[in-house]
Amino acid sequence: MYHRLRRNPGPLGISFRPNRWFLVAWLLPPTIAFATIGVSLLLPGVEYSPEMAGMFERFRSLLTPEQLEEMKRQAATLPVHPIWLGLAQGLVAGITVNAVAGFGEELGWRGLLLKELGHLGFWRCSALIGLIWGVWHAPLILQGHNYPQHPVAGAFMMVAFTLLLSPIFSYVRLRAKSVIAAAILHGSLNGTFGLAIILIRGGDDLTVGMTGVAGFVALALANIGFLLYDRRWAKEPLMAGRAAAG
């Protein structure tokens, strides 16, 4: 069955022929972001905050008091809640500029590496790519990106994050038979992951948000969902065999 996945145009699976998995790639990240909000609210010390107190607190160290007040003023004057504007903007960016920016990275992870390491099997291949992907981010994380409160611990958290992300990216890329879908998934993730902290207060960068423990739970649930789909409903199961990519 896996020889059919080798029919992708070109050696790295660059195909612009859309299918339903392109839509999955686009909409899955905000779905995980909203699930992360729900998981975050189950954690001790985390509360629902429609006035976005937690998000403003995170910006306190990055902005001057005047800039922070201006941000609050602008948010209060919006005709709809900022989370819905953030969702719309993130989805538009995810399928356009963010997807273009993520294409080069995905060409390496889900294009070249998935093709070269597919013989290891879906899970081992995804785990190895996820490990390399996480370590590759380490220099940026150590500078405070994503985990400004815990940059050293954040480097290890980032590896855990990419290990959980990698099977999702691999599965969508293989089902879509195109690395373009992986680029859209990457772009949509970058555009919407911030939604996970807009409506909560409390916690820190290790516990809440998509790159925190709450996000890890949401990502684990997404992996379980794909596993159940692959075993029970997919006509051609992928997870039990080679992660063959054309």
Side-chain angles (χ1 to χ4, degrees), residues 65-94:
E66 293 77 16
Q67 290 173 325
L68 188 61
E69 287 303 316
E70 177 63 17
M71 178 184 287
K72 292 180 179 179
R73 186 192 66 79
Q74 291 179 355
T77 58
L78 291 173
V80 297
H81 195 281
I83 195 169
W84 302 119
L85 290 179
L87 174 62
Q89 292 173 353
L91 285 174
V92 171

mmCIF file of all heavy atoms in Angstrom, residues 65-94:
data_model
loop_
_atom_site.group_PDB
_atom_site.id
_atom_site.type_symbol
_atom_site.label_atom_id
_atom_site.label_comp_id
_atom_site.label_asym_id
_atom_site.label_seq_id
_atom_site.Cartn_x
_atom_site.Cartn_y
_atom_site.Cartn_z
ATOM 1 N N PRO A 65 4.943 50.952 30.127
ATOM 2 C CA PRO A 65 3.589 51.112 30.680
ATOM 3 C C PRO A 65 2.646 51.838 29.724
ATOM 4 O O PRO A 65 1.462 51.501 29.645
ATOM 5 C CB PRO A 65 3.836 51.935 31.954
ATOM 6 C CG PRO A 65 5.234 51.580 32.352
ATOM 7 C CD PRO A 65 5.976 51.402 31.070
ATOM 8 N N GLU A 66 3.170 52.811 28.993
ATOM 9 C CA GLU A 66 2.341 53.546 28.035
ATOM 10 C C GLU A 66 1.885 52.644 26.898
ATOM 11 O O GLU A 66 0.715 52.686 26.470
ATOM 12 C CB GLU A 66 3.106 54.745 27.479
ATOM 13 C CG GLU A 66 3.411 55.833 28.502
ATOM 14 C CD GLU A 66 4.560 55.465 29.418
ATOM 15 O OE1 GLU A 66 5.313 54.511 29.070
ATOM 16 O OE2 GLU A 66 4.702 56.104 30.481
ATOM 17 N N GLN A 67 2.812 51.814 26.383
ATOM 18 C CA GLN A 67 2.464 50.899 25.296
ATOM 19 C C GLN A 67 1.449 49.860 25.759
ATOM 20 O O GLN A 67 0.531 49.500 25.012
ATOM 21 C CB GLN A 67 3.720 50.214 24.773
ATOM 22 C CG GLN A 67 4.669 51.120 24.016
ATOM 23 C CD GLN A 67 5.976 50.435 23.657
ATOM 24 O OE1 GLN A 67 6.485 49.609 24.433
ATOM 25 N NE2 GLN A 67 6.527 50.776 22.506
ATOM 26 N N LEU A 68 1.611 49.388 26.994
ATOM 27 C CA LEU A 68 0.682 48.397 27.525
ATOM 28 C C LEU A 68 -0.711 48.991 27.679
ATOM 29 O O LEU A 68 -1.710 48.335 27.332
ATOM 30 C CB LEU A 68 1.189 47.880 28.868
ATOM 31 C CG LEU A 68 0.437 46.693 29.465
ATOM 32 C CD1 LEU A 68 0.526 45.479 28.536
ATOM 33 C CD2 LEU A 68 1.012 46.331 30.843
ATOM 34 N N GLU A 69 -0.792 50.218 28.159
ATOM 35 C CA GLU A 69 -2.091 50.871 28.303
ATOM 36 C C GLU A 69 -2.740 51.112 26.949
ATOM 37 O O GLU A 69 -3.964 50.998 26.802
ATOM 38 C CB GLU A 69 -1.935 52.196 29.060
ATOM 39 C CG GLU A 69 -1.669 52.031 30.541
ATOM 40 C CD GLU A 69 -2.751 51.228 31.244
ATOM 41 O OE1 GLU A 69 -3.946 51.486 30.973
ATOM 42 O OE2 GLU A 69 -2.405 50.335 32.041
ATOM 43 N N GLU A 70 -1.920 51.452 25.956
ATOM 44 C CA GLU A 70 -2.457 51.656 24.615
ATOM 45 C C GLU A 70 -3.001 50.337 24.052
ATOM 46 O O GLU A 70 -4.050 50.321 23.393
ATOM 47 C CB GLU A 70 -1.371 52.206 23.698
ATOM 48 C CG GLU A 70 -1.788 52.400 22.258
ATOM 49 C CD GLU A 70 -2.898 53.424 22.072
ATOM 50 O OE1 GLU A 70 -3.134 54.223 23.009
ATOM 51 O OE2 GLU A 70 -3.537 53.414 21.004
ATOM 52 N N MET A 71 -2.306 49.240 24.322
ATOM 53 C CA MET A 71 -2.785 47.936 23.882
ATOM 54 C C MET A 71 -4.126 47.612 24.523
ATOM 55 O O MET A 71 -5.049 47.126 23.846
ATOM 56 C CB MET A 71 -1.767 46.848 24.214
ATOM 57 C CG MET A 71 -2.208 45.452 23.823
ATOM 58 S SD MET A 71 -1.051 44.154 24.313
ATOM 59 C CE MET A 71 0.263 44.448 23.129
ATOM 60 N N LYS A 72 -4.248 47.873 25.824
ATOM 61 C CA LYS A 72 -5.507 47.623 26.516
ATOM 62 C C LYS A 72 -6.624 48.489 25.956
ATOM 63 O O LYS A 72 -7.759 48.023 25.784
ATOM 64 C CB LYS A 72 -5.337 47.875 28.015
ATOM 65 C CG LYS A 72 -4.434 46.899 28.733
ATOM 66 C CD LYS A 72 -4.336 47.248 30.221
ATOM 67 C CE LYS A 72 -3.438 46.263 30.964
ATOM 68 N NZ LYS A 72 -3.324 46.616 32.412
ATOM 69 N N ARG A 73 -6.317 49.749 25.653
ATOM 70 C CA ARG A 73 -7.321 50.662 25.127
ATOM 71 C C ARG A 73 -7.814 50.201 23.763
ATOM 72 O O ARG A 73 -9.017 50.206 23.487
ATOM 73 C CB ARG A 73 -6.740 52.076 25.030
ATOM 74 C CG ARG A 73 -7.757 53.142 24.635
ATOM 75 C CD ARG A 73 -7.090 54.445 24.285
ATOM 76 N NE ARG A 73 -6.282 54.316 23.078
ATOM 77 C CZ ARG A 73 -6.797 54.318 21.849
ATOM 78 N NH1 ARG A 73 -8.103 54.437 21.669
ATOM 79 N NH2 ARG A 73 -6.009 54.187 20.800
ATOM 80 N N GLN A 74 -6.884 49.789 22.919
ATOM 81 C CA GLN A 74 -7.268 49.326 21.586
ATOM 82 C C GLN A 74 -8.107 48.055 21.666
ATOM 83 O O GLN A 74 -9.075 47.896 20.905
ATOM 84 C CB GLN A 74 -6.015 49.085 20.741
ATOM 85 C CG GLN A 74 -5.263 50.354 20.377
ATOM 86 C CD GLN A 74 -4.019 50.073 19.555
ATOM 87 O OE1 GLN A 74 -3.657 48.914 19.321
ATOM 88 N NE2 GLN A 74 -3.346 51.128 19.121
ATOM 89 N N ALA A 75 -7.754 47.155 22.574
ATOM 90 C CA ALA A 75 -8.520 45.917 22.725
ATOM 91 C C ALA A 75 -9.943 46.206 23.190
ATOM 92 O O ALA A 75 -10.895 45.544 22.749
ATOM 93 C CB ALA A 75 -7.818 44.994 23.715
ATOM 94 N N ALA A 76 -10.088 47.211 24.063
ATOM 95 C CA ALA A 76 -11.412 47.538 24.591
ATOM 96 C C ALA A 76 -12.319 48.173 23.554
ATOM 97 O O ALA A 76 -13.553 48.119 23.672
ATOM 98 C CB ALA A 76 -11.269 48.468 25.792
ATOM 99 N N THR A 77 -11.732 48.790 22.530
ATOM 100 C CA THR A 77 -12.541 49.480 21.526
ATOM 101 C C THR A 77 -12.876 48.599 20.313
ATOM 102 O O THR A 77 -13.598 49.036 19.417
ATOM 103 C CB THR A 77 -11.813 50.742 21.027
ATOM 104 O OG1 THR A 77 -10.540 50.372 20.477
ATOM 105 C CG2 THR A 77 -11.590 51.720 22.181
ATOM 106 N N LEU A 78 -12.364 47.396 20.276
ATOM 107 C CA LEU A 78 -12.637 46.518 19.141
ATOM 108 C C LEU A 78 -14.113 46.095 19.127
ATOM 109 O O LEU A 78 -14.708 45.878 20.191
ATOM 110 C CB LEU A 78 -11.744 45.282 19.207
ATOM 111 C CG LEU A 78 -10.253 45.513 18.952
ATOM 112 C CD1 LEU A 78 -9.468 44.231 19.214
ATOM 113 C CD2 LEU A 78 -10.011 45.999 17.534
ATOM 114 N N PRO A 79 -14.706 45.951 17.945
ATOM 115 C CA PRO A 79 -16.123 45.576 17.863
ATOM 116 C C PRO A 79 -16.404 44.138 18.286
ATOM 117 O O PRO A 79 -17.534 43.800 18.646
ATOM 118 C CB PRO A 79 -16.466 45.792 16.388
ATOM 119 C CG PRO A 79 -15.150 45.668 15.671
ATOM 120 C CD PRO A 79 -14.125 46.209 16.626
ATOM 121 N N VAL A 80 -15.392 43.271 18.208
ATOM 122 C CA VAL A 80 -15.524 41.883 18.659
ATOM 123 C C VAL A 80 -14.350 41.567 19.569
ATOM 124 O O VAL A 80 -13.361 42.297 19.616
ATOM 125 C CB VAL A 80 -15.551 40.885 17.471
ATOM 126 C CG1 VAL A 80 -16.760 41.146 16.584
ATOM 127 C CG2 VAL A 80 -14.264 40.983 16.657
ATOM 128 N N HIS A 81 -14.458 40.457 20.278
ATOM 129 C CA HIS A 81 -13.367 40.088 21.181
ATOM 130 C C HIS A 81 -12.097 39.813 20.377
ATOM 131 O O HIS A 81 -12.146 39.205 19.296
ATOM 132 C CB HIS A 81 -13.749 38.847 21.987
ATOM 133 C CG HIS A 81 -12.864 38.617 23.173
ATOM 134 N ND1 HIS A 81 -11.606 38.061 23.063
ATOM 135 C CD2 HIS A 81 -13.054 38.892 24.497
ATOM 136 C CE1 HIS A 81 -11.064 37.983 24.263
ATOM 137 N NE2 HIS A 81 -11.914 38.478 25.148
ATOM 138 N N PRO A 82 -10.933 40.261 20.890
ATOM 139 C CA PRO A 82 -9.672 40.070 20.160
ATOM 140 C C PRO A 82 -9.362 38.632 19.776
ATOM 141 O O PRO A 82 -8.635 38.393 18.807
ATOM 142 C CB PRO A 82 -8.621 40.616 21.146
ATOM 143 C CG PRO A 82 -9.357 41.648 21.929
ATOM 144 C CD PRO A 82 -10.756 41.093 22.084
ATOM 145 N N ILE A 83 -9.898 37.660 20.506
ATOM 146 C CA ILE A 83 -9.579 36.276 20.171
ATOM 147 C C ILE A 83 -10.133 35.905 18.790
ATOM 148 O O ILE A 83 -9.515 35.135 18.046
ATOM 149 C CB ILE A 83 -10.095 35.291 21.241
ATOM 150 C CG1 ILE A 83 -9.419 33.920 21.042
ATOM 151 C CG2 ILE A 83 -11.608 35.171 21.211
ATOM 152 C CD1 ILE A 83 -9.632 32.963 22.180
ATOM 153 N N TRP A 84 -11.273 36.489 18.424
ATOM 154 C CA TRP A 84 -11.857 36.172 17.125
ATOM 155 C C TRP A 84 -11.098 36.877 15.997
ATOM 156 O O TRP A 84 -10.920 36.305 14.918
ATOM 157 C CB TRP A 84 -13.334 36.535 17.098
ATOM 158 C CG TRP A 84 -14.097 35.834 18.176
ATOM 159 C CD1 TRP A 84 -14.795 36.398 19.204
ATOM 160 C CD2 TRP A 84 -14.209 34.418 18.367
ATOM 161 N NE1 TRP A 84 -15.334 35.436 20.015
ATOM 162 C CE2 TRP A 84 -14.993 34.210 19.531
ATOM 163 C CE3 TRP A 84 -13.730 33.306 17.671
ATOM 164 C CZ2 TRP A 84 -15.309 32.941 20.002
ATOM 165 C CZ3 TRP A 84 -14.036 32.044 18.147
ATOM 166 C CH2 TRP A 84 -14.813 31.868 19.295
ATOM 167 N N LEU A 85 -10.632 38.090 16.267
ATOM 168 C CA LEU A 85 -9.785 38.757 15.289
ATOM 169 C C LEU A 85 -8.459 38.021 15.145
ATOM 170 O O LEU A 85 -7.929 37.865 14.034
ATOM 171 C CB LEU A 85 -9.534 40.206 15.712
ATOM 172 C CG LEU A 85 -10.731 41.157 15.626
ATOM 173 C CD1 LEU A 85 -10.329 42.548 16.100
ATOM 174 C CD2 LEU A 85 -11.271 41.219 14.204
ATOM 175 N N GLY A 86 -7.924 37.555 16.271
ATOM 176 C CA GLY A 86 -6.677 36.790 16.232
ATOM 177 C C GLY A 86 -6.843 35.499 15.455
ATOM 178 O O GLY A 86 -5.942 35.100 14.700
ATOM 179 N N LEU A 87 -7.993 34.855 15.618
ATOM 180 C CA LEU A 87 -8.265 33.628 14.878
ATOM 181 C C LEU A 87 -8.324 33.902 13.378
ATOM 182 O O LEU A 87 -7.695 33.185 12.579
ATOM 183 C CB LEU A 87 -9.586 33.017 15.349
ATOM 184 C CG LEU A 87 -10.094 31.798 14.575
ATOM 185 C CD1 LEU A 87 -9.114 30.636 14.677
ATOM 186 C CD2 LEU A 87 -11.481 31.384 15.074
ATOM 187 N N ALA A 88 -9.058 34.940 12.991
ATOM 188 C CA ALA A 88 -9.188 35.265 11.569
ATOM 189 C C ALA A 88 -7.840 35.645 10.965
ATOM 190 O O ALA A 88 -7.459 35.164 9.894
ATOM 191 C CB ALA A 88 -10.191 36.411 11.391
ATOM 192 N N GLN A 89 -7.094 36.499 11.664
ATOM 193 C CA GLN A 89 -5.791 36.924 11.156
ATOM 194 C C GLN A 89 -4.820 35.752 11.082
ATOM 195 O O GLN A 89 -4.052 35.623 10.122
ATOM 196 C CB GLN A 89 -5.225 38.028 12.049
ATOM 197 C CG GLN A 89 -5.989 39.326 11.965
ATOM 198 C CD GLN A 89 -5.513 40.358 12.987
ATOM 199 O OE1 GLN A 89 -4.692 40.057 13.862
ATOM 200 N NE2 GLN A 89 -6.037 41.563 12.900
ATOM 201 N N GLY A 90 -4.864 34.886 12.092
ATOM 202 C CA GLY A 90 -3.962 33.741 12.117
ATOM 203 C C GLY A 90 -4.243 32.763 10.993
ATOM 204 O O GLY A 90 -3.317 32.207 10.390
ATOM 205 N N LEU A 91 -5.528 32.558 10.693
ATOM 206 C CA LEU A 91 -5.882 31.639 9.618
ATOM 207 C C LEU A 91 -5.498 32.202 8.252
ATOM 208 O O LEU A 91 -5.025 31.473 7.381
ATOM 209 C CB LEU A 91 -7.378 31.334 9.659
ATOM 210 C CG LEU A 91 -7.831 30.388 10.772
ATOM 211 C CD1 LEU A 91 -9.349 30.280 10.816
ATOM 212 C CD2 LEU A 91 -7.203 29.000 10.608
ATOM 213 N N VAL A 92 -5.709 33.502 8.068
ATOM 214 C CA VAL A 92 -5.313 34.121 6.798
ATOM 215 C C VAL A 92 -3.799 34.063 6.629
ATOM 216 O O VAL A 92 -3.284 33.684 5.565
ATOM 217 C CB VAL A 92 -5.811 35.580 6.715
ATOM 218 C CG1 VAL A 92 -5.218 36.282 5.494
ATOM 219 C CG2 VAL A 92 -7.331 35.618 6.649
ATOM 220 N N ALA A 93 -3.075 34.427 7.686
ATOM 221 C CA ALA A 93 -1.612 34.384 7.616
ATOM 222 C C ALA A 93 -1.119 32.953 7.466
ATOM 223 O O ALA A 93 -0.132 32.684 6.774
ATOM 224 C CB ALA A 93 -1.007 35.013 8.869
ATOM 225 N N GLY A 94 -1.815 32.016 8.107
ATOM 226 C CA GLY A 94 -1.385 30.628 8.093
ATOM 227 C C GLY A 94 -1.363 30.009 6.726
ATOM 228 O O GLY A 94 -0.512 29.168 6.424
#
